[in-house]
Amino acid sequence: MAKKLTRKELLKGTDEFLTLSSRAAIFFSAHLRELKYAGIAVAVIVAGYLSVYGYLSYINKKGQEAYNVAYDTLTEGLKPGTTPENLKKAEALFEKVIDEYAMSKAARLALPQVGHVKFTEKKYDDAILFYDKFAVEVSGDKENVDLTSLALAACYEAKGDLKKAISILNSLVDAQDNPFRETAMLSLERVYRLDKQNEKANEILKKFVQEYKTSPFLPMAKARL
């Protein structure tokens, strides 16, 4: 059976509630100015965050739209029978993404696309510049870094700096967890031969045959031994 509360006990609970309420009222009254400023500060922070978030969302959207137009133009420019002007147009559109929407995610993705166009135009130093910038942007993403290293090696090979290409490819081959290691080994073998290092080229092929027995490139590798 529930215990019946006395009048004294009922008044005690009421007094405690009133005391707590009074203390709260006194606190808010004494700190009204501070609380007012704190509220304003919070409101400013929230408004600033929402403004930045809204701006970045807008920039990302516009940047992605511009990137899509540039990518479609590049795809058309790489088709057989197209003129160099198509590639130049795509290049200009990608550079527009980088310049006008620098804070967007699309701007970062536009860097290797410009690098690819520069490589196609045989402007290897310019291509290297854009690939290097992209490598910095994706420094925390190993897969993208490794893929960019492959592109850089191709640029140095094309411009005739075989020693630099060999250095990059060796670092990729040495990394056992590199998802592009198979491609890097075949590229390294080719560059070794261009650099008249046939013995090292054969060593790479032997290693490739031993490690990639199910590779679709295995017959080619055996034929080159």
Side-chain angles (χ1 to χ4, degrees):
M1 180 179 293
K3 178 183 177 182
K4 184 177 181 180
L5 296 175
T6 65
R7 173 180 174 80
K8 182 177 180 181
E9 289 172 327
L10 287 171
L11 290 175
K12 180 182 178 182
T14 303
D15 288 342
E16 289 177 349
F17 174 76
L18 290 174
T19 302
L20 182 62
S21 300
S22 298
R23 288 177 179 174
I26 293 171
F27 174 83
F28 283 114
S29 177
H31 298 83
L32 184 60
R33 178 174 296 180
E34 291 87 342
L35 291 171
K36 180 180 179 181
Y37 290 141
I40 292 173
V42 170
V44 169
I45 292 171
V46 171
Y49 172 80
L50 291 176
S51 297
V52 171
Y53 179 79
Y55 175 73
L56 290 178
S57 297
Y58 171 79
I59 289 296
N60 276 323
K61 180 182 178 182
K62 300 300 290 184
Q64 186 62 53
E65 290 173 354
Y67 178 90
N68 291 342
V69 172
Y71 185 82
D72 290 342
T73 305
L74 176 61
T75 303
E76 289 296 319
L78 292 175
K79 289 181 178 180
T82 55
T83 63
E85 284 70 26
N86 295 102
L87 281 178
K88 293 299 294 182
K89 183 179 179 182
E91 179 183 342
L93 288 170
F94 278 121
E95 289 182 337
K96 179 181 177 181
V97 175
I98 295 169
D99 294 338
E100 296 188 10
Y101 305 104
M103 297 179 68
S104 71
K105 296 176 182 178
R108 182 177 70 176
L109 298 176
L111 291 170
Q113 298 290 7
V114 176
H116 174 65
V117 175
K118 296 289 188 184
F119 180 87
T120 303
E121 296 173 333
K122 298 183 180 180
K123 297 178 180 178
Y124 304 120
D125 287 328
D126 291 339
I128 289 168
L129 179 65
F130 279 94
Y131 281 127
D132 277 336
K133 287 181 179 180
F134 182 66
V136 172
E137 291 289 332
V138 297
S139 59
D141 185 342
K142 187 178 184 308
E143 185 170 320
N144 269 317
V145 169
D146 289 340
L147 188 57
T148 305
S149 294
L150 271 179
L152 284 167
C155 290
Y156 283 109
E157 178 187 346
K159 69 175 285 190
D161 191 345
L162 301 181
K163 293 293 190 291
K164 182 65 175 180
I166 288 171
S167 175
I168 295 173
L169 291 170
N170 264 318
S171 66
L172 292 173
V173 171
D174 290 342
Q176 295 291 330
D177 59 341
N178 172 19
F180 309 105
R181 186 168 179 266
E182 181 178 351
T183 303
M185 290 180 77
L186 294 175
S187 297
L188 181 57
E189 182 266 339
R190 181 185 64 253
V191 180
Y192 268 141
R193 292 201 189 280
L194 289 173
D195 200 42
K196 309 301 181 183
Q197 299 187 56
N198 292 330
E199 187 175 336
K200 288 187 176 181
N202 288 333
E203 288 176 3
I204 288 294
L205 282 179
K206 289 176 182 178
K207 183 183 291 188
F208 182 90
V209 169
Q210 291 174 352
E211 296 182 16
Y212 295 101
K213 298 184 182 301
T214 60
S215 171
F217 302 107
L218 184 63
M220 182 191 73
K222 286 182 176 180
R224 291 179 64 82
L225 274 171

